[in-house]
Amino acid sequence: MKNGYFVLSLDFELRWGSYTWDTNHIYDTNILGARKAIPDMLRTFEAYQIHATWATVGALFAPSKTAISNTNEQHFDEAATPHMSHFLKECATLGENESEDPSHYALSLIEQISATEHQEIGLHTFSHFYCLDNKNAEETFEKDTRAALAMMETQNIQPTSFIFPRNQFNPALLDVLKKHGLDIVRGNEKHRLYREREGRESKLHRALRLMDAYVNISGYHTFSPESCLDRDLVNIPSSRFLRPYAKQARFLEQLKLHRIKKAMRHASKHGEVFHLWFHPHNFGTNIEANINMLQEICQYYEDLQNEFGFESVTMQELAEKVRRKEVTA
């Protein structure tokens, strides 16, 4: 493990990531744009041999409205939590299938991801369930997990990696995940700016995190592979959110990329892990500029691979390496 590892994870949600706050559908341009950006991302990953984990909302696997309705009837009670009530109301608005409603269904995209070499499909809950906002909801989370796994099983996918929506990492729910074979998770950066919180962040926290994307306030957030192992679970914390290209801040783009590259180089030189993440819908506007940015990062990964042996791995692949080292120690 001395040459370091590059982990890339994506929170794949489409409309399921925004229905709780975007009641007026103002974000739909990004959602639909993600469908155009994902094939470009996959071609980039293929060209640079990038291994990536796609944590996918379980409802995206549904082939039809009937499939979602049957799953909901089997697993959910509308009165269980406010979240579930909101989710079921969103389900009532669905079109019949992916061609009619490309914001809520994604089987064709999931098939493209599965067909691309070195791509792992993980889980991001069935309903984009907020795991801190919904207090005392272990039973509902259990049902949400069962629903997602049942839907994914129809596509012969059994995920082992899990990412908490909105990064609401909740230790109380880890036993539920482990019981269902989800024993690899993405935690948060170990700094108070990135500590998991209920609800929306304050404006101050958001401003500081925005600043941290361009200027090193909180550190590199790289870590040793061995530090990920926590008893029978592997927690691979994030290092950096890849903010999308913004025309109004285009003069800061090179600062952002420099910050990411410095952390990647630090990880590769010191045998550590750098974990970059984003949402496909972040690339839903300014697609060409965002893909160019991703290609520049992937090219730098290739440079570090040639210089230091930096290795691209999925969350599952890193977990396997960490566990093998423990077994052979």
Side-chain angles (χ1 to χ4, degrees), residues 45-46 48-54 113-121 312-314 317:
F45 294 159
E46 203 166 26
Y48 291 94
Q49 293 293 288
I50 298 295
H51 300 218
T53 297
W54 298 72
I113 295 166
S114 296
T116 304
E117 195 175 15
H118 307 311
Q119 307 303 296
E120 174 197 7
I121 294 181
S312 175
V313 289
T314 65
E317 288 168 342

Side-chain angles (χ1 to χ4, degrees), residues 70-113:
N70 290 342
T71 299
N72 291 346
E73 288 176 10
Q74 183 177 353
H75 292 279
F76 301 126
D77 173 7
E78 185 170 356
T81 64
H83 166 85
M84 196 49 60
S85 178
H86 200 164
F87 170 70
L88 294 176
K89 287 178 182 176
E90 180 72 12
C91 290
T93 71
L94 297 181
E96 290 301 320
N97 51 42
E98 187 174 2
S99 61
E100 185 177 314
D101 185 355
S103 295
H104 287 101
Y105 303 92
L107 259 185
S108 67
L109 293 172
I110 291 167
E111 289 168 357
Q112 289 182 50
I113 295 166

Side-chain angles (χ1 to χ4, degrees), residues 116-267:
T116 304
E117 195 175 15
H118 307 311
Q119 307 303 296
E120 174 197 7
I121 294 181
L123 179 59
H124 200 44
T125 74
F126 182 76
S127 62
H128 207 255
F129 186 88
Y130 297 143
C131 296
L132 288 176
D133 289 354
N134 295 282
K135 293 183 180 299
N136 303 315
E138 286 83 357
E139 183 179 351
T140 304
F141 180 73
E142 167 92 31
K143 292 177 179 179
D144 182 281
T145 303
R146 288 181 182 273
L149 295 178
M151 191 71 79
M152 296 173 83
E153 189 176 4
T154 64
Q155 304 302 318
N156 298 313
I157 294 174
Q158 296 180 318
T160 58
S161 298
F162 180 87
I163 291 176
F164 288 88
R166 204 177 279 176
N167 292 314
Q168 290 192 1
F169 187 95
N170 188 343
L173 301 178
L174 295 178
D175 285 341
V176 173
L177 294 174
K178 288 187 287 184
K179 181 171 69 173
H180 292 288
L182 293 152
D183 55 3
I184 307 162
V185 297
R186 187 182 75 199
N188 298 333
E189 295 95 319
K190 300 185 188 309
H191 189 277
R192 62 182 180 272
L193 272 182
Y194 298 93
R195 190 175 301 134
E196 50 271 11
R197 290 176 174 84
E198 299 174 26
R200 288 281 186 175
E201 299 173 305
S202 70
K203 289 183 179 180
L204 175 60
H205 269 101
R206 292 175 68 181
L208 289 172
R209 286 167 68 149
L210 177 63
M211 189 182 303
D212 192 40
Y214 302 102
V215 181
N216 190 347
I217 295 174
S218 64
Y220 291 133
H221 300 295
T222 62
F223 48 89
S224 70
E226 295 86 353
S227 68
C228 299
L229 192 60
D230 183 10
R231 297 185 295 279
D232 51 350
L233 186 108
V234 176
N235 180 353
I236 306 171
S238 56
S239 301
R240 176 70 32 206
F241 170 58
L242 178 57
R243 291 183 177 273
Y245 174 86
K247 287 182 180 178
Q248 65 271 29
R250 58 187 177 276
F251 58 94
L252 294 174
E253 282 297 298
Q254 286 307 309
L255 276 179
K256 178 182 72 180
L257 286 169
H258 180 70
R259 173 107 164 85
I260 290 170
K261 290 177 180 180
K262 287 274 285 186
M264 291 173 68
R265 174 166 284 272
H266 180 86

